[in-house]
Each structure stands twice: as C-alpha cells, then as structure tokens.
Amino acid sequence: MQSSDQQAYDRGVTVFSPDGRLYQVEYAREAVKRGSPAVGVAAADAVVFAAHGRPRSPLMEPDSIEKVHDLDGRLGVASAGHVADARRLVDYGRQFAQRERLRYGEAPAVEPVAKAVADQIQESTQSGGTRPFGAALLVGGVVDDGPHLYEIDPSGTPAEWRATAVGDGSEAIRSHLEAEYATGLDADAGLSLALSALEEGADEELTALEVDVAVLDESGFEAFDRDRRATALDDADLSAAS
Amino acid sequence: MTPEDFGLREEPRRHELSHDHFGQSDAVDAPMFDTGTTIVAVTAEDGVVMAADQRMSLGGRFTANKNARKISRVHPRAAFAISGSVGPAQDVVRSLRAEASLYESRRDEPMSMAAVSQTAGHLVRGLPVAPILGGVDDEGGHVYELDGGGSVMADAYAAGGSGMQVAYGVLERRFEPGAALADATDAAVAAVDAACERDTASGNGVTVATITDAGVEIEAVDDASEATATEGRDAAGDSGEVA
C-alpha cells in the first residue's frame, strides 16, 4: 500500500515528509472524497447548496442525515466527509457567529466565519496528539455586498468560489459546473445547475428523499422540505420519482 | 428621532424580517445605580403586551436620557423589558439573544418560553437588574418577573421598576384574563402613564411591545388612548447592520 520510506512520515500529523508533504492531511482529503458530495453555487443574489445524503438502509430516516446546516439564520454550511467531524466544525461556526455579535454588535459576513473555521481546522494539523478533520465544508451566504461561497479543505485552507463541490465525484461535478456556470444566474437557475451537477457525480438518479437543498439569500438560510426538493428536481429536468 | 435602545441591535432571522424596529447603537452608556423605570407586561387573549417608559435616570435624580428604548426583542416571539443597572441589563439582552439564536440554529426550532425564561434566569443571577420577560409559544402568552437573585416567576401580569406600585395600582383594576390585545394594550399603557405622572424616575413617553404568534412589534405611543406606529423612525432596524 505504501513504500517503506513513507512510513516514518505518516504517523504524526505535525511531521513533514522530506518532499514537503503532510500525509495525514492528504489522507483526510481522501476521507472527504469517500463522503457523499455537496455542491455550492453562488448565483446573482443567492448561494445555493445541494447535497446527496444516501441512507445506509431503507430503515434509516433520510432526513436525519445532516448535509446542509444553518449557521445563524443567515449563513449556512454544506459538508462532505466525516459527519461527526463536520458537526464539530459547524457548531464552532455557530458559536463564532454569536460571539461576533456579542463582541462587535454586528453579524459576521461569510469570509470571517469561513476563515475562523479554517483556522480551527489548521490548528488540528499542527497540534500534538490531534488528527486533521476528515471533512470539507462549503460556507455561504448573502451579506451586504452580495453572495459569497467559500470552500475549506482539511488543511484549513479557505478559498472563495463561484461554484464548486466537495466529496465523492467532486471532480466530475466541478467540470460540469465549469462548463455550465454563467455569471448572473438567478437563484432558481443556480439551484437547477447545482442539482444537475450533483447528478453528474452520482451513480444513480437523484431523488427528493436523498437530496438536501438549501438556499441562502438576503432573507437568510432556508432548507427545502421534501416537496420543494421534488419540485426543484422537476425544475432541473431531473425526474424525481421518490 | 431615533429611540435609544442601549446599543441592542438585533440581527433578524428569516421569519422576523418584516417587523424589526431596533434603534441605533450610539446610546449614552451612563451608569444607572437605582431602578428608575416603569415596565409592565400583560397577557392577553392572543399574546402579550409589554410597555415601558422612556426615561433613563441617574440615581433617580437626573434624567440622563429622554428617549430610551427599554424593551428589546430577544427571540422570534419574546421581548425583554429592563429595569435596574443599564450596563448589566444590556449584557443580559445580548447574551439571551445569542443563546436563543444559537438554540434555533442547533435545533431548528425556536426556544419554548419555559426555556427562554430559565436561560434568562441563569443570565441575570448576581446582576443588579430586575427585568420582565414576555413571550408567546405553543402554549400561549407568558410573563415572567426576574431578579438578580435568579428568580423566575411566571404570572399573568407584572410590573417592575421604581414606578411599579403606581403601575400595579392601575393593573389591579384594569387587568382582565383573556382580554383582547387592544384592551390589554390600553391597560398596559395606562399603567405606565400613571407611573410617569407620579414616579420622578419614570417619564418621557411610552414604548409598547406587542407579541403574538406573528412576532414582536415594538412602537412608541404618544398618548395613552392612541397607539401610534413609528414606522421608519429606525433606519438601522431592518438590516441590523451598523450604518
């Protein structure tokens, strides 16, 4: 599986390999790739999240799979990878958003929240005894100067995107987004694009049961219920037999 | 004219956007050692009405601010009327608002009034404040009196501050269980008005908060008989952002 010269450099996360790599961070990125995907699209006046959450069994409650998360009523997060790790980061973001209000009397924009969460992730790559977070997050929302969408990977690097994806099939999804994305999309078109991109990365047809959708606009975070997800799939011309 | 609200701007969540009227932040942060206030809260048929005077006084001897907003929304369907020291009361309002918002983000539903009141009780313990909390949940309207010892007492109506005896005198006559909102509003405003007449530390007009299933409406009234909406007084209200 791995060559012996690599062995010494993937035990502790704080150790660089001679060629400058942090193997544990790279393994964390692999963990993200094994997670079901999440897509984010920044439209003209909204950020749209679509994610795929596959139940392991028909006995599982599909709505209990957490893929999109409300941060503070205005901002949201979509996650891929280890759900347990993502939940910790989401709650850190929630507390950060409230602390900013207490400290400054104003709600934070997307960038400060994304960077605060990113710094939290970075700390895990440089502290003794910790492992990196096995999750990648998309942080988005619409604040004063319009929609913003950030991706944070397990190294703790934040990057702003107009549209991107994390998780399983993210490369196929991203190349679909690169081909189809146009600036000035409205929220509905952004949602259709996010769903069609998500289907590019999926092995099977998307259903309203397994898809998670949230739209963030000037009035805040709104997760779609199952009926609205079915309608959104119809609008994107993806048959939604659920 | 913008009412002072002690810097307690609130970031609205989606369902609150149409009725956010919070003032701006440049409040005078004067120390207030004595309770110099009249606040009341009255349950009604479809909600809760709260009222407060608009005078902030220093030691009950000097009017430090004539346009103080003493009632603030802390939750989609709850408001907090402050009496006692201003600084600690501001902290309580901000913290309660943060706790309620965090709860809603984490659990995807607003706090019940029982949970809001218990959280408020934890927050006021040890502080020189004696506020009133009013709100509506699935079980109807609730009013709670709180104090610095951390006590949380539910009641159908309550008054607080240095004008409370005068206000209670009016409420004892005029409170009716299950009254219509308009009648409850008249009673609450009359109680604060009477206290403004006789309590030297209360005065300078009345603020009214109406809390129903639809949310919290806060407005100033100029006259006891006529509630005047003050739409547009507050330029900073809707976004909650600093101008």
Side-chain angles (χ1 to χ4, degrees), chain B residues 10 16 19-20 22 71-76 78-79 97 216 218:
Chain B
E10 184 190 18
E16 298 172 21
H19 39 72
D20 194 44
F22 279 89
I71 309 179
S72 305
R73 182 169 53 195
V74 292
H75 171 278
R97 192 175 278 162
V216 181
I218 299 179

Side-chain angles (χ1 to χ4, degrees), chain A residues 79-128:
Chain A
S79 58
H82 283 256
V83 176
D85 290 14
R87 281 176 47 80
R88 283 284 300 277
L89 294 170
V90 165
D91 203 69
Y92 180 83
R94 285 173 176 162
Q95 293 186 42
F96 176 81
Q98 294 304 328
R99 268 203 309 279
E100 289 279 291
R101 286 167 167 82
L102 291 174
R103 183 169 294 160
Y104 303 117
E106 55 188 52
V110 183
E111 182 182 332
V113 175
K115 290 188 173 172
V117 175
D119 291 348
Q120 188 75 3
I121 295 172
Q122 191 280 338
E123 205 174 305
S124 74
T125 70
Q126 222 175 6
S127 309

Side-chain angles (χ1 to χ4, degrees), chain A residues 8-64:
Chain A
Y9 306 104
D10 69 349
R11 299 293 179 207
V13 68
T14 53
V15 179
F16 275 109
S17 75
D19 53 350
R21 294 162 65 181
L22 292 170
Y23 284 118
Q24 288 295 324
V25 170
E26 294 184 14
Y27 299 158
R29 288 203 184 96
E30 289 304 314
V32 170
K33 281 187 192 157
R34 297 166 68 92
S36 50
V39 183
V41 173
D45 51 6
V47 171
V48 178
F49 287 144
H52 199 189
R54 273 185 302 270
R56 290 192 304 274
S57 147
L59 293 176
M60 195 173 172
E61 290 289 350
D63 288 342
S64 71

Side-chain angles (χ1 to χ4, degrees), chain A residues 41 163 172-183 185 189-190 192-194 196-197 200:
Chain A
V41 173
I173 296 172
R174 201 173 300 127
S175 50
H176 181 85
L177 291 170
E178 282 165 7
E180 301 294 327
Y181 183 87
T183 48
L185 287 173
S192 293
L193 173 61
S196 59
E200 286 294 312

Side-chain angles (χ1 to χ4, degrees), chain B residues 48-222:
Chain B
V48 172
V49 178
M50 302 176 80
D53 73 305
Q54 301 187 137
R55 174 174 298 173
M56 183 170 80
S57 64
L58 256 178
R61 293 158 172 267
F62 181 76
T63 302
N65 191 302
K66 299 192 285 185
N67 204 11
R69 175 75 66 80
K70 298 180 184 178
I71 309 179
S72 305
R73 182 169 53 195
V74 292
H75 171 278
R77 284 181 291 282
F80 203 71
I82 62 175
S83 82
S85 258
V86 174
Q90 288 179 322
D91 271 353
V92 171
V93 168
R94 293 191 191 104
S95 298
L96 190 54
R97 192 175 278 162
E99 293 284 0
S101 183
L102 199 52
Y103 183 108
E104 192 172 340
S105 291
R106 282 172 170 164
R107 306 197 186 188
D108 204 20
E109 61 181 0
M111 268 177 152
S112 70
M113 281 312 298
V116 176
S117 68
Q118 184 144 339
T119 306
H122 293 311
L123 291 171
V124 299
R125 185 166 295 125
L127 302 180
V129 295
I132 297 178
L133 171 70
V136 175
D137 62 15
D138 296 342
E139 292 162 28
H142 302 271
V143 166
Y144 301 91
E145 288 173 277
L146 301 109
D147 72 12
S151 79
V152 179
M153 304 293 288
D155 213 336
Y157 61 100
S162 55
M164 69 193 282
Q165 285 93 340
V166 183
Y168 267 126
V170 174
L171 290 182
E172 294 306 334
R173 273 179 80 91
R174 298 203 40 179
F175 173 75
E176 305 244 1
L181 267 182
D183 296 336
T185 305
D186 287 347
V189 173
V192 175
D193 265 336
C196 288
E197 294 290 334
R198 289 289 173 176
D199 176 36
T200 53
S202 300
N204 302 108
V206 181
T207 308
V208 174
T210 309
I211 310 163
T212 61
D213 258 344
V216 181
E217 291 271 4
I218 299 179
E219 58 189 16
V221 293
D222 300 324

